[in-house]
Amino acid sequence: MTLPDRGALSRRGFLGAALGSAGLGLLSGCNALSQREDFVDLLGSVEPLNQGLQRLLSDDRLVREFPARMISPVFRPNGSTDPRTPEYLALKANAFADYRLRIRGLVRHPLEFSLDALRALPTRTQITRHDCVEGWSVIGQWSGVPLAHLLRMAQLRPGARYVVFHCFDDLDGSGGRYYESVDLDDAFHPQTIAAHTLNGAPVPVANGAPLRMRIERKLGYKQPKYVHTIEVVDAYAAFGAGRGGYWEDQGYDWYGGI
Amino acid sequence: MPSIPDEAALPAQGEWRTLLRHRWPLRWMHWINLACMLALVGSGLQIFNAHPALYWGETSTFDSPAFATGSVRGPDGKGRGITRIATARFDTTGVLGVSARSSDGGMVVRGFPEWATIPGVRSLALGRSWHFFFAWAWVINGLCYLAWSLGTRHLSRDLAMRRRDWRAIPRSIADHLRFRHPQGDEAARYNPLQKLAYLGVVFVLAPLAILTGLAMSPQLDSVLGWWLQLVGGRQSARTLHFIAMALFVGFTLVHVLMVVYAGPINELRSMITGRFRVRHPRSETNTEQGHDAA
């Protein structure tokens, strides 16, 4: 090297300063962009690609089911774990004896089931992994009625495209209620069940008593707990803020498959 | 300007030539790649912060993470950032676990600090949006790079390891350790360690990052089950994804360091305008490799 040391040092200092200020500029730029609605919409423009790729690759294959020895000691609850809405407290006080699951919307036969009636229907039991959008996973054994069975009993009417789940819990205390939606592909997937049993016992309150959805190819927020009504619709824009679910209304993606 | 001395010393030491080192598609793809990587790392750390712990296996063992950035309340009542690696614990207050909020300097509990995440404020939803958008951009850019490198024979001509490259590894290690930089035409070629680093990033690290990323999808679990079992489960995949990120960052730091040592102005110019200046020792105009003679 023929460079004088001082030159190398100041060159390094200059470069460090340049990189540092470029870094700070980048960060504030990213923060400013994150607050622009049009930019956030641009970021969201890849969602159809995510959905398309996942559908293309996985088709209607089943997710992995695990041996019983892999069941997690605690099925970690998240989000609502103890709903305080009056209608829920009234049912809980009576051990959900008065609970009814309603199926309505674009169906020929609106239906209503008590928990006992649901338990008498065909049951699917599956030991699956629950993946939270936060990043953690637990494994549990779920039993419930395949949603496909319930929807066939109710018979979809023409125009049916989505299934919306209405729940008892008010997650942020704003007076609204948790809700979610999936399309018919996921509604009719064999591992999509309305689960009344976790690890051989009635679903605990923290995990969604008395009935929660298991939609196994989705992240946790797409598998609503405390479900009381399953509504078949042609569009979900009329519910909540119109984006298809509680978390979707807060900016999360609707498909929720990755 | 600190870069001038080498040009000023030019006439006495040899003949300088300017050559086209990187063609325009490569230069564009290089900088697009950098922008995507920065966005992916920043948004990835934002996502990590939603549950700042890593595990090995299929599920999370919340009490015994393999790696976690948490916090405890110290004897003075203030939060301390504690980073755990297996059973070892380190106080990382200020960076990991507990760090300053830029708005008022107050200390807050969070995995990675505000300056490392996109966006700075806590938002898993936005972090995910950034991450998936730039993941697509990065993969498409990477596929273009592969196609271009194959089509122009950049891969086989400039990057592929030849027998003499393997043989030159010990000397290349010695050169790197002594910060001795090749001169003449040799400076315009990739040295064997450089080739291995680039090939490793393109053909090992990038596929690892993509596959471990996809394997975290509960939907793609139905297709990538074999791969998940191979790497040990979904939480292993998440941990490997994180490790791949750390290796990318490590590669980038070394890469920038090498650019600085090799002459940042010349190297940067070669990746911006394509032009690269090499000096041919005057006394050896007709010998093939000035480097060996030295």
Side-chain angles (χ1 to χ4, degrees), chain A residues 101-168:
Chain A
L101 173 69
R102 292 184 175 83
I103 298 176
R104 64 175 195 211
L106 292 174
V107 292
R108 289 212 172 78
H109 314 290
L111 300 171
E112 222 179 276
F113 300 94
S114 67
L115 280 175
D116 283 339
L118 284 171
R119 289 198 188 97
L121 292 175
T123 300
R124 188 178 203 283
T125 295
Q126 56 204 30
I127 301 175
T128 49
R129 198 188 60 230
H130 179 90
D131 299 328
C132 179
V133 67
E134 293 170 1
W136 48 267
S137 313
V138 290
I139 291 177
Q141 182 194 55
W142 297 95
S143 302
V145 188
L147 181 57
H149 182 80
L150 296 173
L151 294 176
R152 283 192 194 104
M153 284 173 81
Q155 292 184 21
L156 301 190
R157 292 209 319 248
R161 284 190 64 199
Y162 299 99
V163 176
V164 178
F165 307 97
H166 300 279
C167 308
F168 287 119

Side-chain angles (χ1 to χ4, degrees), chain A residues 11 15 27 31 34 50 57-58 62-64 76 129 131 134-137 139 217 252-253 255 257-258, chain B residues 3 51 58-60 62 115 119-120 124 128 130 133 136 217-219 221-223 229 234-235 238 260 264:
Chain A
R11 174 183 285 191
L15 211 87
L27 284 174
N31 289 334
S34 297
N50 288 342
L57 292 178
S58 62
L62 303 184
V63 298
R64 191 176 165 211
R76 182 186 173 107
R129 198 188 60 230
D131 299 328
E134 293 170 1
W136 48 267
S137 313
I139 291 177
R217 298 188 301 177
Y252 286 81
D253 43 305
Y255 195 61
I258 186 165
Chain B
S3 70
H51 185 74
E58 196 68 60
T59 55
S60 306
F62 299 99
W115 57 260
L124 175 56
R128 283 166 56 79
W130 275 85
F133 182 87
W136 277 102
S217 153
Q219 172 125 15
D221 172 278
S222 59
V223 198
Q229 282 180 285
R234 180 180 192 252
Q235 290 302 316
R238 183 164 174 265
V260 170

Side-chain angles (χ1 to χ4, degrees), chain A residues 242-254:
Chain A
R243 302 185 64 162
Y246 175 84
W247 286 110
E248 288 87 329
D249 290 341
Q250 327 278 320
Y252 286 81
D253 43 305
W254 176 79

Side-chain angles (χ1 to χ4, degrees), chain A residues 31 34-35 76 78 132-136 247 250 252, chain B residues 42-53 69-71 97 99-103 108-128 130 238:
Chain A
N31 289 334
S34 297
Q35 284 170 357
R76 182 186 173 107
N78 201 24
C132 179
V133 67
E134 293 170 1
W136 48 267
W247 286 110
Q250 327 278 320
Y252 286 81
Chain B
S43 57
L45 294 178
Q46 168 72 246
I47 295 171
F48 172 84
N49 275 2
H51 185 74
T69 58
S71 65
S99 52
R101 191 166 43 208
S102 64
S103 55
V108 287
V109 173
R110 50 182 289 153
F112 279 82
E114 252 181 50
W115 57 260
T117 66
I118 298 175
V121 295
R122 192 170 164 165
S123 172
L124 175 56
L126 277 172
R128 283 166 56 79
W130 275 85
R238 183 164 174 265

Side-chain angles (χ1 to χ4, degrees), chain A residues 12 19 45 60 82 94 124 156 197 203 217 224 235 239 242 244 251:
Chain A
R12 225 172 292 163
L19 281 177
S45 64
D60 57 355
D82 191 15
N94 200 13
R124 188 178 203 283
L156 301 190
T197 303
V203 174
R217 298 188 301 177
F239 307 99

